[in-house]
Amino acid sequence: MSADRTLADLLAIMARLRDPENGCPWDLEQTFRTILRYTLEEAYEVAEAIDHDDMDALREELGDLLFQVVFHARLAEERGQFDFDDVVVTIRDKMIRRHPHVFTDSGPATEAEIRDNWERIKAAERAHKPAPGAGLLDGIARALPALVRAEKLQKRASGVGFDWDQIDGVFDKVTEELDEYRASLAESVPASERTHEVGDLLFACVNLARHMGVDAEQALRAANHRFEQRFAHIEAGLRQQGRRPDRTERAEMERLWQEAKTNQDRADDP
Protein backbone atom coordinates (compact mmCIF):
# COMPACT_ATOMS: atom_id res chain seq x y z
CA MET A 1 0.00 0.00 0.00
CA SER A 2 1.34 3.44 -0.93
CA ALA A 3 2.54 5.57 1.98
CA ASP A 4 1.31 8.67 0.13
CA ARG A 5 -2.15 7.11 -0.20
CA THR A 6 -2.44 6.10 3.46
CA LEU A 7 -1.18 9.49 4.65
CA ALA A 8 -3.62 11.25 2.32
CA ASP A 9 -6.38 9.13 3.84
CA LEU A 10 -5.36 10.19 7.34
CA LEU A 11 -5.31 13.86 6.36
CA ALA A 12 -8.75 13.46 4.79
CA ILE A 13 -10.09 11.84 7.97
CA MET A 14 -8.75 14.75 10.02
CA ALA A 15 -10.38 17.26 7.66
CA ARG A 16 -13.68 15.38 7.96
CA LEU A 17 -13.52 15.38 11.73
CA ARG A 18 -13.02 19.14 11.69
CA ASP A 19 -15.69 19.83 9.06
CA PRO A 20 -17.89 22.63 10.50
CA GLU A 21 -21.07 21.10 9.10
CA ASN A 22 -20.63 17.34 9.48
CA GLY A 23 -17.60 16.94 11.74
CA CYS A 24 -17.27 15.53 15.25
CA PRO A 25 -18.46 17.99 17.94
CA TRP A 26 -15.58 17.02 20.27
CA ASP A 27 -12.90 17.45 17.59
CA LEU A 28 -14.42 20.77 16.54
CA GLU A 29 -14.09 22.12 20.08
CA GLN A 30 -10.38 21.38 20.35
CA THR A 31 -7.52 23.88 20.23
CA PHE A 32 -3.74 23.60 20.34
CA ARG A 33 -3.86 23.90 24.11
CA THR A 34 -6.68 21.43 24.75
CA ILE A 35 -5.03 18.62 22.77
CA LEU A 36 -1.56 19.31 24.15
CA ARG A 37 -2.09 16.89 27.05
CA TYR A 38 -2.97 14.13 24.59
CA THR A 39 0.12 14.84 22.50
CA LEU A 40 2.30 14.45 25.60
CA GLU A 41 0.45 11.32 26.70
CA GLU A 42 0.92 9.69 23.30
CA ALA A 43 4.65 10.43 23.36
CA TYR A 44 4.96 8.74 26.76
CA GLU A 45 2.93 5.77 25.56
CA VAL A 46 5.39 5.36 22.67
CA ALA A 47 8.20 5.34 25.24
CA GLU A 48 6.38 2.72 27.33
CA ALA A 49 5.89 0.44 24.32
CA ILE A 50 9.62 0.68 23.58
CA ASP A 51 10.50 0.00 27.23
CA HIS A 52 8.41 -3.20 27.08
CA ASP A 53 9.76 -4.16 23.63
CA ASP A 54 6.13 -4.44 22.51
CA MET A 55 6.17 -3.94 18.74
CA ASP A 56 2.40 -4.30 18.31
CA ALA A 57 1.83 -1.57 20.89
CA LEU A 58 4.59 0.55 19.35
CA ARG A 59 2.95 0.40 15.92
CA GLU A 60 -0.34 1.55 17.43
CA GLU A 61 1.17 4.25 19.64
CA LEU A 62 3.24 5.69 16.79
CA GLY A 63 0.00 5.98 14.84
CA ASP A 64 -1.65 7.79 17.75
CA LEU A 65 1.31 10.16 17.98
CA LEU A 66 1.22 10.79 14.22
CA PHE A 67 -2.45 11.64 14.51
CA GLN A 68 -1.56 14.31 17.07
CA VAL A 69 0.86 15.85 14.55
CA VAL A 70 -1.88 15.78 11.89
CA PHE A 71 -4.34 17.35 14.35
CA HIS A 72 -2.01 20.25 15.21
CA ALA A 73 -1.22 20.80 11.54
CA ARG A 74 -4.93 20.89 10.68
CA LEU A 75 -5.61 23.50 13.36
CA ALA A 76 -2.80 25.64 11.95
CA GLU A 77 -4.06 25.17 8.40
CA GLU A 78 -7.49 26.41 9.41
CA ARG A 79 -5.85 29.54 10.76
CA GLY A 80 -3.91 30.03 7.55
CA GLN A 81 -0.57 29.63 9.34
CA PHE A 82 0.87 26.39 7.91
CA ASP A 83 -0.27 22.92 6.86
CA PHE A 84 0.98 19.35 7.12
CA ASP A 85 3.09 19.66 3.95
CA ASP A 86 4.87 22.63 5.52
CA VAL A 87 5.67 20.51 8.56
CA VAL A 88 7.13 17.78 6.34
CA VAL A 89 9.19 20.23 4.25
CA THR A 90 10.57 21.88 7.38
CA ILE A 91 11.78 18.62 8.93
CA ARG A 92 13.05 17.34 5.56
CA ASP A 93 15.19 20.44 5.05
CA LYS A 94 16.39 20.38 8.64
CA MET A 95 17.55 16.76 8.45
CA ILE A 96 19.41 17.38 5.19
CA ARG A 97 21.02 20.51 6.63
CA ARG A 98 22.10 18.74 9.84
CA HIS A 99 23.61 15.73 8.04
CA PRO A 100 26.19 17.23 5.67
CA HIS A 101 28.26 14.02 5.97
CA VAL A 102 25.40 12.17 4.29
CA PHE A 103 23.85 14.69 1.88
CA THR A 104 26.94 16.61 0.71
CA ASP A 105 30.38 15.72 -0.58
CA SER A 106 32.03 16.45 2.79
CA GLY A 107 32.84 12.76 3.16
CA PRO A 108 32.50 10.38 6.13
CA ALA A 109 32.69 11.67 9.68
CA THR A 110 33.40 10.19 13.09
CA GLU A 111 30.70 10.01 15.74
CA ALA A 112 32.33 12.90 17.62
CA GLU A 113 32.47 15.01 14.45
CA ILE A 114 28.83 14.27 13.70
CA ARG A 115 27.82 15.32 17.23
CA ASP A 116 29.91 18.51 17.06
CA ASN A 117 28.54 19.40 13.62
CA TRP A 118 24.99 18.81 14.81
CA GLU A 119 25.41 21.23 17.73
CA ARG A 120 27.23 23.78 15.56
CA ILE A 121 24.50 23.71 12.92
CA LYS A 122 21.78 24.02 15.57
CA ALA A 123 23.60 27.02 17.04
CA ALA A 124 23.77 28.64 13.59
CA GLU A 125 20.04 28.03 13.14
CA ARG A 126 19.30 29.74 16.44
CA ALA A 127 21.49 32.67 15.48
CA HIS A 128 19.43 33.23 12.33
CA LYS A 129 16.17 33.58 14.22
CA PRO A 130 16.91 35.36 17.51
CA ALA A 131 14.06 36.78 19.54
CA PRO A 132 14.46 40.21 21.13
CA GLY A 133 16.65 39.78 24.19
CA ALA A 134 17.03 36.06 23.53
CA GLY A 135 19.62 34.27 25.64
CA LEU A 136 21.66 31.17 24.99
CA LEU A 137 19.27 28.96 26.95
CA ASP A 138 16.10 30.29 25.34
CA GLY A 139 14.18 27.85 23.19
CA ILE A 140 14.64 24.82 25.46
CA ALA A 141 11.02 23.86 26.05
CA ARG A 142 9.82 24.30 29.62
CA ALA A 143 7.31 21.48 29.16
CA LEU A 144 10.08 18.87 28.84
CA PRO A 145 10.52 16.37 31.68
CA ALA A 146 12.74 18.05 34.27
CA LEU A 147 15.64 15.61 33.87
CA VAL A 148 15.63 15.98 30.09
CA ARG A 149 15.49 19.77 30.31
CA ALA A 150 18.30 19.88 32.88
CA GLU A 151 20.54 17.89 30.54
CA LYS A 152 19.70 20.15 27.59
CA LEU A 153 20.42 23.28 29.64
CA GLN A 154 23.77 21.85 30.70
CA LYS A 155 24.70 20.82 27.16
CA ARG A 156 23.82 24.26 25.81
CA ALA A 157 25.99 25.98 28.46
CA SER A 158 28.78 23.45 27.90
CA GLY A 159 28.84 24.45 24.24
CA VAL A 160 30.28 27.85 25.19
CA GLY A 161 32.74 26.43 27.72
CA PHE A 162 30.66 26.75 30.91
CA ASP A 163 31.35 23.25 32.19
CA TRP A 164 33.65 21.20 34.39
CA ASP A 165 36.95 20.26 32.76
CA GLN A 166 37.22 17.01 34.72
CA ILE A 167 34.58 14.65 36.08
CA ASP A 168 36.15 14.92 39.56
CA GLY A 169 34.72 18.43 39.79
CA VAL A 170 31.25 17.04 39.08
CA PHE A 171 31.61 14.40 41.81
CA ASP A 172 32.69 17.13 44.22
CA LYS A 173 29.65 19.21 43.27
CA VAL A 174 27.29 16.30 43.95
CA THR A 175 28.93 15.79 47.36
CA GLU A 176 28.68 19.52 48.09
CA GLU A 177 24.97 19.61 47.27
CA LEU A 178 24.30 16.48 49.35
CA ASP A 179 26.14 18.02 52.32
CA GLU A 180 24.10 21.20 51.96
CA TYR A 181 20.88 19.21 52.06
CA ARG A 182 22.02 17.30 55.14
CA ALA A 183 22.78 20.64 56.79
CA SER A 184 19.28 21.89 55.94
CA LEU A 185 17.79 18.87 57.75
CA ALA A 186 19.81 19.65 60.86
CA GLU A 187 18.71 23.27 60.87
CA SER A 188 15.31 24.84 61.24
CA VAL A 189 14.83 25.97 57.65
CA PRO A 190 11.66 26.50 55.62
CA ALA A 191 10.41 23.63 53.46
CA SER A 192 10.96 25.82 50.40
CA GLU A 193 14.70 25.94 51.13
CA ARG A 194 14.87 22.17 51.43
CA THR A 195 13.06 21.90 48.09
CA HIS A 196 15.69 24.25 46.67
CA GLU A 197 18.53 22.07 47.99
CA VAL A 198 16.98 18.87 46.61
CA GLY A 199 16.63 20.56 43.24
CA ASP A 200 20.29 21.52 43.26
CA LEU A 201 21.26 17.95 44.17
CA LEU A 202 19.16 16.47 41.36
CA PHE A 203 20.59 18.98 38.88
CA ALA A 204 24.13 18.02 39.94
CA CYS A 205 23.27 14.31 39.52
CA VAL A 206 22.02 14.97 35.99
CA ASN A 207 25.33 16.73 35.31
CA LEU A 208 27.22 13.70 36.61
CA ALA A 209 25.20 11.38 34.39
CA ARG A 210 25.90 13.62 31.38
CA HIS A 211 29.65 13.57 32.01
CA MET A 212 29.52 9.78 32.31
CA GLY A 213 27.67 9.51 28.99
CA VAL A 214 24.45 8.32 30.65
CA ASP A 215 20.98 9.54 29.70
CA ALA A 216 19.57 10.60 33.09
CA GLU A 217 15.94 10.26 32.02
CA GLN A 218 16.43 6.74 30.67
CA ALA A 219 18.49 5.78 33.73
CA LEU A 220 15.71 6.86 36.08
CA ARG A 221 13.05 5.16 33.95
CA ALA A 222 15.07 1.94 34.21
CA ALA A 223 15.45 2.40 37.97
CA ASN A 224 11.69 2.89 38.29
CA HIS A 225 11.13 -0.33 36.36
CA ARG A 226 13.55 -2.26 38.59
CA PHE A 227 11.83 -0.91 41.71
CA GLU A 228 8.41 -1.98 40.38
CA GLN A 229 9.66 -5.48 39.61
CA ARG A 230 11.32 -5.90 43.00
CA PHE A 231 8.35 -4.59 44.95
CA ALA A 232 6.05 -6.87 42.97
CA HIS A 233 8.29 -9.74 44.10
CA ILE A 234 7.81 -8.64 47.71
CA GLU A 235 4.03 -8.58 47.29
CA ALA A 236 4.00 -11.99 45.57
CA GLY A 237 6.16 -13.50 48.31
CA LEU A 238 3.94 -12.13 51.04
CA ARG A 239 0.78 -13.31 49.28
CA GLN A 240 2.17 -16.86 49.34
CA GLN A 241 2.43 -16.47 53.11
CA GLY A 242 -1.07 -15.03 53.37
CA ARG A 243 0.35 -11.66 54.41
CA ARG A 244 0.18 -8.03 53.29
CA PRO A 245 2.94 -5.39 53.04
CA ASP A 246 1.21 -3.01 55.46
CA ARG A 247 1.17 -5.76 58.10
CA THR A 248 4.69 -7.06 57.59
CA GLU A 249 7.90 -6.04 59.34
CA ARG A 250 10.44 -4.11 57.33
CA ALA A 251 13.07 -6.84 57.83
CA GLU A 252 10.96 -9.44 56.00
CA MET A 253 10.24 -7.07 53.13
CA GLU A 254 13.96 -6.27 52.92
CA ARG A 255 14.75 -10.01 52.73
CA LEU A 256 12.36 -10.41 49.80
CA TRP A 257 13.76 -7.26 48.19
CA GLN A 258 17.29 -8.66 48.29
CA GLU A 259 15.98 -11.95 46.91
CA ALA A 260 14.39 -10.07 43.98
CA LYS A 261 17.59 -8.12 43.42
CA THR A 262 19.64 -11.32 43.29
CA ASN A 263 17.19 -12.86 40.82
CA GLN A 264 17.41 -9.77 38.59
CA ASP A 265 21.21 -9.81 38.70
CA ARG A 266 21.25 -13.47 37.64
CA ALA A 267 18.79 -12.76 34.82
CA ASP A 268 20.98 -9.88 33.60
CA ASP A 269 24.14 -12.01 33.50
CA PRO A 270 25.02 -13.23 29.99
Side-chain angles (χ1 to χ4, degrees):
M1 185 179 293
S2 167
D4 289 343
R5 180 67 260 161
T6 53
L7 183 54
D9 290 343
L10 182 58
L11 294 171
I13 290 170
M14 186 72 254
R16 178 68 182 274
L17 291 172
R18 290 283 297 180
D19 182 272
E21 299 295 329
N22 301 303
C24 170
W26 184 89
D27 288 278
L28 286 167
E29 290 178 355
Q30 303 313 306
T31 67
F32 291 113
R33 291 188 181 279
T34 61
I35 66 171
L36 175 58
R37 59 170 289 194
Y38 303 110
T39 307
L40 295 173
E41 286 174 7
E42 298 301 349
Y44 282 118
E45 287 174 4
V46 166
E48 185 171 354
I50 293 172
D51 282 344
H52 288 86
D53 197 26
D54 188 337
M55 292 299 103
D56 289 337
L58 180 58
R59 180 185 65 245
E60 181 177 350
E61 299 303 342
L62 286 172
D64 291 344
L65 184 57
L66 174 60
F67 185 75
Q68 291 297 309
V69 176
V70 168
F71 206 147
H72 283 286
R74 179 66 192 185
L75 293 174
E77 182 178 357
E78 292 171 1
R79 293 184 176 193
Q81 294 166 322
F82 60 82
D83 61 15
F84 185 82
D85 284 348
D86 295 324
V87 174
V88 173
V89 168
T90 299
I91 188 59
R92 179 202 65 190
D93 292 349
K94 182 186 292 185
M95 289 301 100
I96 292 173
R97 186 169 62 249
R98 292 185 180 180
H99 293 83
H101 55 290
V102 175
F103 298 105
T104 71
D105 296 330
S106 60
T110 65
E111 183 176 343
E113 289 171 338
I114 292 170
R115 186 169 56 250
D116 290 344
N117 281 338
W118 181 275
E119 293 301 330
R120 178 180 53 77
I121 293 168
K122 285 176 64 177
E125 291 170 353
R126 290 193 299 271
H128 278 88
K129 53 178 180 181
L136 179 69
L137 302 181
D138 290 350
I140 300 176
R142 295 182 181 276
L144 286 169
L147 291 180
V148 174
R149 190 162 191 268
E151 184 175 354
K152 287 183 176 293
L153 290 168
Q154 292 167 6
K155 283 183 176 179
R156 187 76 62 84
S158 179
V160 295
F162 190 72
D163 200 357
W164 298 99
D165 293 328
Q166 302 292 334
I167 197 171
D168 286 346
V170 189
F171 276 110
D172 292 342
K173 186 62 177 175
V174 171
T175 301
E176 175 190 325
E177 297 297 349
L178 183 58
D179 289 343
E180 288 181 4
Y181 184 68
R182 282 178 175 153
S184 76
L185 291 176
E187 301 168 0
S188 179
V189 300
S192 59
E193 184 173 335
R194 289 179 182 169
T195 299
H196 174 92
E197 296 298 346
V198 169
D200 288 347
L201 175 59
L202 290 172
F203 193 84
C205 287
V206 172
N207 207 5
L208 178 61
R210 181 175 63 87
H211 276 264
M212 296 179 69
V214 172
D215 183 316
E217 180 73 17
Q218 291 300 321
L220 186 55
R221 287 174 63 87
N224 289 342
H225 183 60
R226 289 194 300 274
F227 183 89
E228 289 177 307
Q229 288 185 316
R230 293 172 188 175
F231 198 81
H233 180 83
I234 291 174
E235 291 179 306
L238 292 178
R239 272 197 301 272
Q240 290 178 353
Q241 303 173 30
R243 303 166 69 183
R244 292 168 27 186
D246 59 342
R247 297 182 181 178
T248 302
E249 292 183 357
R250 163 74 183 277
E252 174 60 13
M253 288 194 286
E254 180 64 26
R255 183 190 69 79
L256 290 167
W257 174 273
Q258 293 300 328
E259 183 178 275
K261 185 177 179 181
T262 299
N263 291 343
Q264 279 185 336
D265 290 342
R266 287 173 179 165
D268 291 339
D269 286 340

